Amino acid sequence: MPYYRSVGSVPRKRHTVHRIEGSVAFEELMGIEGFSGTSALLYHRHSPSAITRIEPVEAAVPAFHDNMPLRPHHLRTQQLPTADDAVLGRQPLLGNNDVSISWVAASATSGLYRNATGDELVYVQSGSAVLESVFGRLPVRDGDYVVVPMSATHRWVATDRVELLVINARGHINVPSRYLNAAGQMLEGAPFSERDQRGPAGEPLIDEGEDVPVTVRTRGGLSVHVHATHPFDVVGWDGCLYPWAFNIADFEPIVGRIHQPPPVHQTFAGSGFVICSFVPRLFDTDPEAVKVPYHHANVDTDEVLFYSRGDFMSRAGSGIGVGSISVHPAGFVHGPQPGSFERSIDVDRTAETAVMLDAFSPLGLTDSALGISDADYPWSWARRP
Ligand SMILES: [Fe+2]
């Protein structure tokens, strides 16, 4: 997120004395790639390093089983139980060394949390919440993508029941570089712009407390660091690294006379994966155009599609519906269900909203994923509609 933002009270010059109610603030640089990448400067009332205890956490490390023997999957997230906590209640489903995908439905405020394994991209499938962090409050709602930077201390405050699809990168999640000019501004031809992106605004978020536990995720699992004072003590910050949100309905689809391939729908890029948004749009305009996607073999990628809302015409008869996840692995040719071309002839637009993740290394599946996998899905293309 390369756009400069400033919230609350910061000194005129960085690395200079900043007095808050008579005390000198503790300046923290939160930066990617050490001191060379995107960063923010935060001004704390108390030392962000002051911890009083470190506690282990008994938590199972998810095991991702090889997709063997190779099969396409339809995962029915609606069959997963509701959790209390939007962080600790997450059910890992798919993953490799670059990225993992989890699902959670929750209705209560999570504990404080920071993920030191990589950025999180949280897609809000339903409900609304406030992402509270050291950067302040960021209200989010259904259809929002929420980018939570690696190691940002935060919590999810659910204002009602929320369903979240959580993509956890090993590294960072960015806007595709081909959407940016040399100065980092979104290009005119990009399918969204800076106006569509929201960050924490308004007053800084100050909370009081002593001996405050924060759950920390690292590659080894979970730990708890008990902070001497509440981590939400930032009186001001500025920079280009902070949580931000973007609603999928603000993605402007690119359509053509004949079918446009999925890269025109790309929304985010990570190391080892890309994410695309499929939103309601006009179909191709040529009278001879085949409006449903052609069969395709993604020889280098495992393709995951989350069906968020609308009518998935090309998948009718497959069992796919709202809340479904399809997994079409490398080595398998996938395409529209039989009969979908005929159904599309008199239709001039699609009403579907879906999120796609293409992973460049094979994705494994957890026991949770296998438990909600539709046993009949692999044969769905062979059935008559
Ligand atoms: Fe596909």
Side-chain angles (χ1 to χ4, degrees), residues 27-237:
E27 184 184 56
E28 173 199 2
L29 181 120
M30 184 173 167
I32 292 174
E33 297 173 356
F35 296 84
S36 305
T38 307
S39 66
L41 284 166
L42 301 96
Y43 295 87
H44 295 266
R45 283 181 164 169
H46 308 283
S47 166
S49 307
I51 57 174
T52 57
R53 282 200 316 280
I54 298 172
E55 298 172 353
V57 177
E58 295 292 330
V61 176
F64 295 102
H65 309 295
D66 289 345
N67 187 6
M68 291 297 292
L70 185 72
R71 64 184 291 151
H73 286 273
H74 167 203
L75 310 180
R76 297 164 292 192
T77 62
Q78 305 301 357
Q79 295 186 357
L80 292 171
T82 297
D84 286 334
D85 189 317
V87 173
L88 299 181
R90 295 173 183 176
Q91 298 262 355
L93 299 174
L94 298 154
N96 60 26
N97 281 332
D98 300 318
V99 64
S100 65
I101 301 171
S102 304
W103 171 264
V104 66
S107 53
T109 297
S110 75
L112 292 166
Y113 171 62
R114 60 175 167 265
N115 185 341
T117 68
D119 292 348
E120 292 182 358
L121 178 68
V122 180
Y123 178 74
V124 183
Q125 163 64 5
S126 69
S128 60
V130 179
L131 179 76
E132 293 188 345
S133 73
V134 288
F135 297 91
R137 290 185 177 87
L138 178 60
V140 301
R141 62 179 178 83
D142 57 306
D144 274 346
Y145 289 109
V146 189
V147 180
V148 186
M150 184 176 186
S151 282
T153 303
H154 67 278
R155 66 184 168 203
W156 284 88
V157 180
T159 49
D160 52 27
R161 183 176 183 272
V162 288
E163 295 178 305
L164 307 175
L165 182 77
V166 182
I167 296 165
N168 187 174
R170 179 161 191 160
H172 301 291
I173 297 174
N174 295 301
V175 169
S177 57
R178 62 190 168 86
Y179 291 170
L180 305 174
N181 67 19
Q185 183 180 11
M186 298 288 287
L187 288 168
E188 271 294 301
F192 54 102
S193 77
E194 290 87 348
R195 288 190 200 176
D196 301 318
Q197 300 167 344
R198 301 156 10 231
E203 294 296 308
L205 175 56
I206 304 290
D207 215 335
E208 303 290 339
E210 294 184 348
D211 295 322
V212 180
V214 178
T215 301
V216 184
R217 180 180 297 282
T218 56
R219 298 295 287 186
L222 299 178
S223 310
V224 167
H225 282 187
V226 178
H227 284 242
T229 53
H230 203 292
F232 290 172
D233 68 346
V234 173
V235 297
W237 63 270

Side-chain angles (χ1 to χ4, degrees), residues 7 9 19 42 78-79 101 126 130-131 149 154 176 203 216 256 266 283 287 289 294 305 317-318 321 324 347 358 383:
V7 171
S9 171
R19 292 193 185 279
L42 301 96
Q78 305 301 357
Q79 295 186 357
I101 301 171
S126 69
V130 179
L131 179 76
H154 67 278
E203 294 296 308
V216 184
Q266 191 181 352
F283 269 139
Y294 32 76
L305 202 56
S318 67
S324 293
V347 180
D358 268 2
R383 288 198 298 260

Side-chain angles (χ1 to χ4, degrees), residues 296 298 303 328 334:
H296 46 287
N298 303 350
E303 179 186 302
H328 297 147
H334 66 276

Side-chain angles (χ1 to χ4, degrees), residues 17-26 45 235:
V17 171
H18 189 38
R19 292 193 185 279
I20 304 297
E21 297 172 359
S23 301
V24 176
F26 294 79
R45 283 181 164 169
V235 297

